[in-house]
Amino acid sequence: MTNMEDFLNVNKDAVNRGIKSLSKNWIILFVGIAYSIINTLIYGVINTVFRGPLSIIAGLIGAFLSAAMISNYLYLLYNVINNNKITIDDFKQGFTAYIYKVYGVMFVFYMVSLLLRITGLGGIYPLLMVLAVVLLNALPETIYQKHYDSTTSISYSFEFAKDNVVNWYVSNLIIGLLLYLLTSNLLFMFKFTSGNSIFRFINISSIVMQAIGSMIMIYRGHLYSILSNSTKRKREFMSKF
């Protein structure tokens, strides 16, 4: 089996799995609305209560809130990818499922930024973040699909991406562009917003963008599962049966 045949087979499998997952768990396309409401309400309270010298407390609470939101979403993805279903209980449990692992990753990046500032190299942090987005692109999937701690998740995601350059990066680029091109026109068709209420972020454009993001993440989840649990030789062998 050639590299191109492997690439096509892997993507065919990932897309088919993704379509099945979406057909049974379409609600995940809109969970971003719930996150936006929760964020608006909680940050409103935090910024009101913790002002001035107490703003550092607001920062710590905000970091945990962000970690909880990310944890929740990754837990929903875990259940979509592995159990092919999500429930209201999954949504409730998700806020704590990976919170310490996510917070640990955030802490690592914070320490890197702090070290750079102390050494007078803070200006290169944006560049390092761009490199991290590229080199650690599979970190979200590693967090919820592998039982590693924060630092091991970071190193494994780098090794995974390095070992699957074409099947991971090229596949993500193609699928991302296709989904965007197929749906981008919807982003400019509607202008409805809800004024200054906590629902002001609810508009067709944001909903479409959230839906696109979830479709990509489900596809990525299945692609990661296929690639991380097999090798080209194993996939070639299994294709004969």
Side-chain angles (χ1 to χ4, degrees), residues 147-231:
H147 300 291
Y148 299 143
D149 59 28
S150 300
T151 54
T152 306
S153 293
I154 292 174
S155 61
Y156 180 86
S157 63
F158 173 76
E159 292 298 326
F160 169 85
K162 184 181 68 174
D163 294 338
N164 297 279
V165 172
V166 175
N167 279 335
W168 182 253
Y169 287 109
V170 177
S171 298
N172 272 278
L173 180 62
I174 292 174
I175 290 295
L177 286 174
L178 284 177
L179 281 176
Y180 179 77
L181 291 174
L182 288 172
T183 57
S184 58
N185 288 335
L186 293 175
L187 302 178
F188 309 102
M189 291 173 60
F190 304 94
K191 298 297 182 181
F192 169 77
T193 59
S194 50
N196 295 319
S197 71
I198 63 171
F199 299 100
R200 62 185 177 276
F201 47 79
I202 298 179
N203 56 70
I204 299 301
S205 295
S206 65
I207 292 174
V208 170
M209 288 303 295
Q210 291 167 10
I212 293 174
S214 290
M215 283 188 272
I216 293 175
M217 291 303 292
I218 289 174
Y219 161 79
R220 280 169 55 104
H222 284 298
L223 180 65
Y224 181 94
S225 177
I226 294 169
L227 295 175
S228 65
N229 292 306
S230 67
T231 62

Side-chain angles (χ1 to χ4, degrees), residues 21 76-84 144-145 218 221-222 225:
S21 293
L76 294 181
L77 287 173
Y78 169 85
N79 283 283
V80 169
I81 302 302
N82 292 283
N83 302 325
N84 204 26
Y144 76 83
Q145 291 197 35
I218 289 174
H222 284 298
S225 177

